[in-house]
Amino acid sequence: MSAAPLVLFDVETSSGVVGRSYIFTYTPVVLVAAARLASDVSAALAGKSLAPVAINQALRRQFVLLGTTGLLDMVIAGIDMALGDASAKAAGLPLVALLGGEPRELQAYASFGMDGQDHAVLAAQGAAERHFQAIKIKIGYPTFAEDLAVIRAVRAALPTECALMVDYNQALSVTEAIRRCHALDDEGLAWIEEPVRCDDLAGHARVAEAIKTPVQLGENAWGPQGIQEMLQKRASDLAMPDLMKVGGVTGWQGAAAICEAQRVLISNHFYQETSAHLLSLSPVAHYLEYFGIADAVLRDPVVAVNGRVKPSGAPGCGIEWNEAAVERFQASGAA
Ligand SMILES: [Mg+2]
């Protein structure tokens, strides 16, 4: 991943508070369409009170015949996160405090891509030097022998107490996943993420049943109901909702309640600024994924200290733009 197409949201209230958020469109192909949709959907907010839950529900009702899964859910989540930021700013509180909690130090893991063994080892060494106590790498090489070699090389580069997670990014068939994940069972991995296609919950349930290592899903679950369904089908042992896909702050709270009720450990996927506030509220908080996808346009990016992250103590979620950077990236081709 060499670029991050982002749609930035600024929602301004009549009292002059500006709530901010962003969504990540994964591919530049849908960036302009998502920005246009965000702008069109947001027109309905004019004159409404600053009530994120009510607005979230009203927007969903507006699209009930079409359905919202996909771009509309992404845009509604972006609006919801910006409204959450605005509500907290209007109250003069960090989001976690607005929701009744206190900022907590969360254990973070440094998250890396898939660039071969040498890069994985360098990344692991860098994270260990920065005192991370957990890291995640991507695997899913052409052969299992390569997966194993990368895992063992990374493991050897880390202090023994450092947790290691791996992410297959949906690369395997169910039978191949059972074969490879079973063979990884004694490697001491903290979790194995998305070994098969994200929408194959029955397949993930077969993998989870066949291995000892926890299976981790959630970044592709749409709404709290998506998290509920994956847990109900025993497709995942853990949960890692993505704020954009789970429905913003409002959707996250529904998903977090489901995880709490089922005693399932919850981590985030992306959106570390707002996720840090929300994880601070959860008695089943697991890890914060430390991956600064928006750092290049943020005035105060989240900083991990000794591998731990505390949510911003400023009013809101801690998202303010580095305006000069935003201008530079806009000029470079985005809408
Ligand atoms: Mg993943």
Side-chain angles (χ1 to χ4, degrees), residues 25-72:
T25 68
Y26 289 81
T27 160
V29 175
V30 296
L31 181 61
V32 172
R36 172 64 197 266
L37 188 62
S39 165
D40 289 351
V41 171
S42 300
L45 303 185
K48 294 277 193 311
S49 352
L50 182 53
V53 173
I55 288 173
N56 193 309
Q57 290 169 2
L59 289 176
R60 276 170 208 292
R61 274 197 305 276
Q62 189 184 337
F63 301 109
V64 74
L65 295 181
L66 170 63
T68 56
T69 305
L71 283 180
L72 274 167

Side-chain angles (χ1 to χ4, degrees), residues 136 138 167 169 193 219:
K136 186 172 87 183
K138 311 268 191 206
D167 185 354
N169 266 1
E193 190 172 318
E219 68 179 86

Side-chain angles (χ1 to χ4, degrees), residues 24 31 39 62 83 108 116 125 136 163 166 175 192 246 293 297 301:
F24 171 48
L31 181 61
S39 165
Q62 189 184 337
L83 294 177
Q125 285 166 341
K136 186 172 87 183
V166 297
T175 47
I192 298 176
V246 84
I293 202 152
V297 291

Side-chain angles (χ1 to χ4, degrees), residues 137-157:
I137 56 166
K138 311 268 191 206
I139 52 170
Y141 290 92
T143 65
F144 174 70
E146 291 165 275
D147 285 350
L148 188 61
V150 173
I151 288 169
R152 289 192 170 163
V154 165
R155 181 79 268 174

Side-chain angles (χ1 to χ4, degrees), residues 139 144 148 151 168 180-187 189 213:
I139 52 170
F144 174 70
L148 188 61
I151 288 169
Y168 268 111
R180 290 198 192 192
C181 297
H182 188 258
L184 290 175
D185 254 345
D186 294 322
E187 299 300 316
L189 299 170
T213 311

